[in-house]
Amino acid sequence: MEKFIDPSVTLMDITWKNHGKIYVISDNKSFAKTDKCEKIYRYDANLSWMDLLHQGLLDFKKDFKNSNIVYFMLEDLTPLKHIDLERLQLIEDAFIDLDWSFLYFPHYENEFFFNITHKNQLFSETSDDWLFYSQIGVGLFKLDYLIELCKLGLSNKLKSPWEFEYIKTSTKHYISSYKWPTVRDGYSIQNHVNLQAIRYIDKKGILLWRMLFKTYLNQIPNRIYRHFFRSKMKSLIMNFKNMLNK
């Protein structure tokens, strides 16, 4: 998905005008060049997602010893429409004032109970019994705490971003009532372009729109094949079960 980096950041320059410098953590399978990011931290493609993130964060920490708070964003959750900059500033202020370690921005409709108010913004404390206690996508983190979560995940042999979300600690996590301006699942679903993102994207993001649309068209044969293959496999499994039952 690295080919989308530059057009994504070009759009972000419009939708999130005061965003900070961007650093990418990736593997060495791709050699995509970027003029829009400060640096790409690359690691062996055989490493798990959790290992990649952990190594990248440690190296970033070495390079920027005074960086205490970061935005961590999965690459396909670029803000596709304008961010409310005034509101985001208030949310950042609340994060610092209340000395939080983890604040998540939902990118889907939700029914969280937002009962914490600060700077006229609403937040929710993540319930201890919430399965996805460490849900990720877009979030504000204390850098050291994000590294700590990676260490904990690796010690429990977790590998994927989905497994990361199951990590639970005694540290409280929080959720913002501000919905991140994108679509559910972002602009990709399992390495396939999300049609909803093409429909939703700001008109000024023409470079990203064109690339997403072109990629979506190119992926149609693969989508059809996967759909047919899955249907065929389901049919074979059902026939096999029926044979066993007889």
Side-chain angles (χ1 to χ4, degrees):
M1 305 298 286
E2 283 188 13
K3 64 183 179 182
F4 295 107
I5 290 176
D6 275 6
S8 292
V9 180
T10 297
L11 175 59
M12 243 196 322
D13 290 341
I14 298 169
T15 59
W16 191 0
K17 290 186 176 180
N18 65 344
H19 68 74
K21 293 180 179 179
I22 298 169
Y23 299 84
V24 176
I25 298 173
S26 188
D27 58 41
N28 59 11
K29 283 192 300 185
S30 175
F31 296 95
K33 294 180 180 179
T34 173
D35 298 320
K36 295 288 186 178
C37 300
E38 297 296 311
K39 184 176 181 179
I40 296 184
Y41 293 89
R42 293 196 182 280
Y43 304 95
D44 192 314
N46 292 319
L47 292 176
S48 70
W49 182 90
M50 193 84 72
D51 271 308
L52 282 172
L53 179 59
H54 184 229
Q55 289 298 321
L57 293 172
L58 289 177
D59 287 340
F60 177 83
K61 179 74 175 178
K62 289 178 184 176
D63 291 343
F64 304 96
K65 294 180 175 62
N66 296 323
S67 289
N68 299 316
I69 297 173
V70 297
Y71 274 96
F72 173 55
M73 181 171 69
L74 299 184
E75 75 279 0
D76 60 347
L77 289 174
T78 298
L80 298 179
K81 289 193 176 179
H82 285 270
I83 282 179
D84 185 335
L85 298 179
E86 183 177 346
R87 187 173 178 188
L88 193 64
Q89 183 63 61
L90 293 172
I91 292 170
E92 292 174 357
D93 291 344
F95 183 88
I96 294 170
D97 291 347
L98 299 172
D99 195 29
W100 287 343
S101 297
F102 185 139
L103 176 66
Y104 177 73
F105 293 91
H107 57 280
Y108 52 84
E109 298 301 327
N110 63 81
E111 297 180 356
F112 295 115
F113 183 47
F114 297 107
N115 60 340
I116 301 172
T117 304
H118 191 82
K119 297 282 186 178
N120 293 319
Q121 300 302 307
L122 292 172
F123 306 93
S124 174
E125 181 181 302
T126 304
S127 173
D128 290 336
D129 60 2
W130 176 240
L131 181 61
F132 310 107
Y133 189 77
S134 295
Q135 60 183 326
I136 52 171
V138 181
L140 264 174
F141 284 86
K142 284 185 177 177
L143 179 57
D144 287 339
Y145 182 65
L146 184 53
I147 293 172
E148 182 183 325
L149 287 176
C150 288
K151 288 180 180 177
L152 182 58
L154 289 170
S155 69
N156 285 288
K157 299 182 179 180
L158 304 182
K159 297 180 179 181
S160 72
W162 299 278
E163 291 174 311
F164 184 100
E165 297 193 313
Y166 297 145
I167 298 173
K168 289 190 177 181
T169 72
S170 58
T171 299
K172 293 296 181 183
H173 294 181
Y174 297 89
I175 303 166
S176 173
S177 61
Y178 180 57
K179 183 175 178 292
W180 200 251
T182 186
V183 295
R184 186 179 183 91
D185 298 315
Y187 65 63
S188 75
I189 303 176
Q190 297 178 342
N191 290 327
H192 284 81
V193 170
N194 184 353
L195 181 59
Q196 296 302 315
I198 295 174
R199 293 170 175 165
Y200 180 83
I201 193 169
D202 189 284
K203 292 180 180 178
K204 292 181 180 179
I206 190 65
L207 293 176
L208 181 59
W209 184 91
R210 285 175 179 166
M211 185 172 284
L212 290 174
F213 186 65
K214 181 179 179 181
T215 305
Y216 180 83
L217 293 178
N218 290 337
Q219 289 177 340
I220 287 177
N222 181 258
R223 288 172 183 266
I224 294 173
Y225 172 78
R226 289 180 63 187
H227 177 73
F228 173 79
F229 180 77
R230 286 174 180 171
S231 299
K232 197 70 174 177
M233 286 301 296
K234 285 181 181 179
S235 177
L236 288 172
I237 290 170
M238 288 302 298
N239 289 336
F240 183 68
K241 285 183 177 179
N242 290 334
M243 288 174 60
L244 292 176
N245 290 334
K246 290 179 180 179

